[in-house]
Amino acid sequence: MPVIECDVDEARETLADAGVVISDGKSEYEHWRARYNDAIAIAYDDKLVIQGSNPQSIEALLRDSGGHAYLYFDGGSRGNPGPAAIGWVIVTSDGIAGEGNERIGRATNNQAEYDALITGLETARDYGFDSVDVKGDSQLAIKQVTGAWKTNDPELRERRVRARELLDGFDKWSLKHVPREVNERADKLVNEALDDG
């Protein structure tokens, strides 16, 4: 559950300008509530607490657009195919800008890796970043997206095309394979989603 320390009056104005529905708080401690895309922001004295299944939609509206981010992604399945989940983390020079995980149903490890990459890229785009350095421990997804390896599987080919479309939407991007230890937070988010299922 993201917490954003901010001027809640300015945040309210920003959200209202974006067309977000704002209502009164439900207790003496809540200044107001905003509902948008399966997320609810609750304003307290100097912070917003964002709840719901899509908190990044509200975070993206409140964040200054532009800038550079690092995206770490991971996907996995228990069984191949089997129950699968994804995880992603977006990091800036200020720290973690956003992270998320979710179960995606039944998938192969490779399908889950691609879905994590795509979801992370969509979120980085929605946050308004101009450039992104993407890092993951899936050599297959990275080599296929960069064109070093062919993509023979039709389902993975569709995902590869989508990932490239998203990457090409940034002014500048890079995609790099990293060891699992470097990708530890995204890996942990995948396992948390699988364990919670």
Side-chain angles (χ1 to χ4, degrees):
M1 176 169 32
V3 175
I4 300 174
E5 293 186 18
C6 63
D7 179 322
V8 296
D9 294 328
E10 286 180 18
R12 179 184 182 130
E13 186 175 321
T14 299
L15 293 173
D17 288 347
V20 175
V21 175
I22 298 177
S23 60
D24 292 336
K26 292 188 174 184
S27 75
E28 63 183 282
Y29 304 104
E30 296 179 8
H31 294 264
W32 49 266
R33 288 176 165 239
R35 182 178 301 272
Y36 184 71
N37 284 354
D38 297 324
I40 298 172
I42 304 167
Y44 295 96
D45 286 337
D46 293 316
K47 65 183 173 188
L48 289 179
V49 176
I50 305 175
Q51 303 171 341
S53 61
N54 191 12
Q56 62 268 22
S57 65
I58 290 178
E59 286 180 285
L61 294 173
L62 295 172
R63 194 184 167 288
D64 292 332
S65 64
H68 182 76
Y70 298 88
L71 166 63
Y72 296 85
F73 73 95
D74 197 20
S77 66
R78 297 213 171 131
N80 199 20
I86 62 171
W88 53 267
V89 182
I90 297 174
V91 180
T92 68
S93 58
D94 294 327
I96 294 176
E99 62 181 21
N101 64 352
E102 65 181 296
R103 291 180 61 96
I104 59 168
R106 186 174 173 81
T108 66
N109 280 317
N110 292 333
Q111 290 167 341
E113 292 280 6
Y114 266 104
D115 287 356
L117 172 59
I118 289 166
T119 301
L121 288 170
E122 289 172 341
T123 304
R125 176 204 60 204
D126 293 347
Y127 275 33
F129 291 108
D130 297 322
S131 62
V132 64
D133 287 327
V134 183
K135 301 172 189 288
D137 57 33
S138 171
Q139 191 167 1
L140 180 122
I142 290 166
K143 295 277 190 182
Q144 287 180 342
V145 171
T146 59
W149 291 356
K150 290 183 180 179
T151 311
N152 296 322
D153 181 303
E155 287 189 33
L156 296 184
R157 194 175 308 123
E158 285 180 31
R159 288 171 168 89
R160 177 186 53 83
V161 168
R162 179 67 182 136
R164 276 309 295 249
E165 289 172 349
L166 288 163
L167 284 166
D168 289 340
F170 292 95
D171 294 341
K172 183 179 173 188
W173 61 268
S174 69
L175 187 56
K176 182 179 177 186
H177 178 262
V178 294
R180 184 175 303 262
E181 307 81 63
V182 175
N183 206 30
E184 184 177 351
R185 180 67 187 148
D187 180 69
K188 182 178 179 186
L189 289 167
V190 169
N191 285 304
E192 285 176 3
L194 288 169
D195 291 343
D196 289 345

